Amino acid sequence: MIRASFWLHGGAGCGLALAPQLWPWWLGGLAANHAVLTVAGMVPRSSLLGPNLVRLPPGPPRVALTFDDGPDPEVTPRVLDLLDAAGARASFFLIGNRAARHPALVRQILRQGHSVENHTHTHPLHFAALGPAGMRRQVMSAQAAITDAGGAPRFFRPPAGLRSPFLDPVLAGAGLLLANWSRRGADGAIGDAGRILRRLSPPRAGEILLLHDGNSRPGADGRPVVLDVLPVLLARLRAAGISCRSLPQALSEPGAAWPEAATAAESPTTTADASP
């Protein structure tokens, strides 16, 4: 797709030079190309621009529970307590500069049996519009900060799940696999626990679920809504016979298999140390 896009741009440039009177057609072709790349390639669940884990491979009945935008010194410990009480495990997609400010909290996440993953260094909402150098800085700075705090991320999730054709080569160089979601609660935008739970119901094995331990909206009681959603969600999953796992756990259980792109990737720590 990317090669075809480059050829199309080159062809449009030649066509404009040879037949400038047809400029609306050349421009329309380029606009259509960009629309396809944006709508079909950049959206969170698309794999057209490279590997993208949005659902677990076949295996035992489990979901991968993931939390974005932490660590948060007020909310993350309470989320960890709720997970511990339910015997659940999760993956925390951390913002690098927050991990650097709260390394003890990163270590607590790991100590309690969860995984820590990469969610960029500063969480720029325009991440998908950055060039390769800007994306690499965000990914590698976060990787270094989380690694320094004691973690070793194997997965990356961009802000809002959006990507561009430049992201896959950056992740390949860092030894990371893109992981988005099957369903998200939208608790970063919705403060109504009932609405969020409806978005995540009924429970289905094999899904990757997204909530937030950072930037979760206040609920009706004024506290982050994730703290009202999580106990109910965990109870519903337990009643359905579905266990909650971190991404590495879910992909390492008997009967499951790591995606090919992940098993072929270099160690993120090794790559980060070797990068200039």
Side-chain angles (χ1 to χ4, degrees), residues 2-15 26 28-34:
I2 296 170
R3 288 195 192 98
S5 179
F6 280 122
W7 279 106
L8 180 61
H9 281 69
C14 292
W26 310 128
L30 294 180
N33 171 250
H34 283 267

Side-chain angles (χ1 to χ4, degrees), residues 178-203:
L178 184 70
N180 276 311
W181 58 81
S182 307
R183 280 194 284 181
R184 61 175 176 172
D187 56 318
I190 299 172
D192 184 329
R195 284 181 62 193
I196 294 166
L197 286 164
R198 285 193 293 274
R199 291 174 61 90
L200 299 174
S201 298

Side-chain angles (χ1 to χ4, degrees), residues 44-94:
R45 292 172 56 84
S46 172
S47 295
L48 289 176
L49 297 180
N52 185 11
L53 185 65
V54 297
R55 186 174 178 83
L56 300 175
R62 79 278 192 232
V63 297
L65 193 54
T66 67
F67 294 89
D68 280 9
D69 294 1
D72 182 291
E74 300 298 325
V75 180
T76 304
R78 297 161 78 180
V79 168
L80 291 173
D81 288 345
L82 292 170
L83 293 172
D84 246 12
R89 297 295 177 263
S91 289
F92 289 77
F93 283 82
L94 306 182

Side-chain angles (χ1 to χ4, degrees), residues 7 27-28 43 51 78 85 91 101 107 109 111 115 121 130 132 173 177-178 208 213 218 225 232-233 241 260 268:
W7 279 106
L27 185 60
V43 295
R78 297 161 78 180
S91 289
R101 289 199 300 270
R107 291 190 289 271
I109 293 170
R111 189 166 58 248
S115 80
H121 195 62
L130 296 177
L177 179 69
L178 184 70
I208 299 173
D213 63 319
V225 70
V232 180
L233 175 63
E260 183 179 349

